[in-house]
Amino acid sequence: KAGVTQTPRYLIKTRGQQVTLSCSPISGHRSVSWYQQTPGQGLQFLFEYFSETQRNKGNFPGRFSGRQFSNSRSEMNVSTLELGDSALYLCASNPTGINTEAFFGQGTRLTVV
Amino acid sequence: GQNIDQPTEMTATEGAIVQINCTYQTSGFNGLFWYQQHAGEAPTFLSYNVLDGLEEKGRFSSFLSRSKGYSYLLLKELQMKDSASYLCAVRGTTNFGNEKLTFGTGTRLTIIP
């Protein structure tokens, strides 16, 4: 059974640009959550999608958005990138929601220069 | 809001026992998770507690006291491969009634021979 797949693994962008990250959950899992991980702040919840609808949302500005497709694959978009957006972005897949065990992907390491 | 505290770093000896504490403050508590994360890798699920008491799983055990807002992860018969960060995460309710999973910043555990 394939795990959670995130692409790309590494990304370098310039301030002001936008970026789209992709996450393919484990087959059969309908919930996808996104997290930002930085050394100082740890893992911070961005949002959760379930059946193509955003079901839960963290405290991030509107520059961070996402969507989920009918096959449960999810994308996260960050517009007008800032240096502080440099982080590891992790996607987690759950069978039904964040109240169950989460399976994490390897993450996308985003560097904003 | 939600707040989670856990020690930043701990060191223990191979073969010994170590206890990693986690205290939390949250509204609408609905479960506590422990994850292990090796450097450069994705977090992996270790345990889940929603009721008071001890959950044992092999060399790892997790305890929860909801009245005290307290949990610990107990690792026995420590092995060098247990050197990793251990993340405490709490499921609670946001001000808007949504569910949110909040992670602590993690405890970096180093096992020495």
Side-chain angles (χ1 to χ4, degrees), chain A:
Chain A
K1 195 175 188 180
V4 180
T5 304
Q6 290 187 247
T7 57
R9 288 294 309 278
Y10 302 92
L11 204 51
I12 300 176
K13 288 286 188 178
T14 306
R15 263 184 310 175
Q17 286 187 311
Q18 73 162 16
V19 67
T20 298
L21 312 181
S22 179
C23 172
S24 293
I26 291 172
S27 177
H29 286 193
R30 296 167 63 188
S31 168
V32 173
S33 299
W34 288 90
Y35 296 85
Q36 181 194 66
Q37 187 173 35
T38 57
Q41 298 294 321
L43 263 168
Q44 291 190 290
F45 174 70
L46 281 154
F47 30 64
E48 181 213 4
Y49 285 87
F50 184 86
S51 294
E52 303 178 63
T53 302
Q54 187 181 89
R55 190 161 67 171
N56 293 294
K57 190 176 186 301
N59 299 322
F60 277 78
R63 300 186 297 109
F64 292 81
S65 63
R67 59 178 176 169
Q68 186 179 34
F69 302 95
S70 58
N71 62 357
S72 292
R73 189 178 72 85
S74 177
E75 288 183 346
M76 189 191 90
N77 184 276
V78 188
S79 61
T80 321
L81 283 166
E82 301 176 0
L83 295 179
D85 296 333
S86 294
L88 179 67
Y89 290 89
L90 289 163
C91 161
S93 155
N94 301 67
T96 56
I98 63 172
N99 56 332
T100 55
E101 173 186 348
F103 297 85
F104 283 86
Q106 292 293 98
T108 295
R109 172 76 62 187
L110 173 64
T111 302
V112 182
V113 297

Side-chain angles (χ1 to χ4, degrees), chain A residues 35 37 56 99 101-102 105, chain B residues 35 37 42 45 91 98-99 101:
Chain A
Y35 296 85
Q37 187 173 35
N56 293 294
N99 56 332
E101 173 186 348
Chain B
Y35 284 85
Q37 186 176 26
F45 170 81
R91 183 163 67 104
N98 295 330
E99 285 198 325
L101 191 60

Side-chain angles (χ1 to χ4, degrees), chain B residues 13-68:
Chain B
T13 305
E14 190 178 13
I17 299 173
V18 70
Q19 177 175 311
I20 303 174
N21 296 324
C22 171
T23 57
Y24 64 88
Q25 296 167 321
T26 186
S27 53
F29 174 83
N30 209 354
L32 186 144
F33 297 82
W34 283 96
Y35 284 85
Q36 179 192 59
Q37 186 176 26
H38 286 98
E41 298 183 12
T44 55
F45 170 81
L46 288 177
S47 68
Y48 172 64
N49 295 68
V50 66
L51 299 175
D52 290 350
L54 188 69
E55 294 281 342
E56 296 185 81
K57 189 185 293 186
R59 294 189 298 115
F60 293 4
S61 303
S62 57
F63 171 83
L64 175 67
S65 169
R66 288 173 296 172
S67 62
K68 296 181 180 177

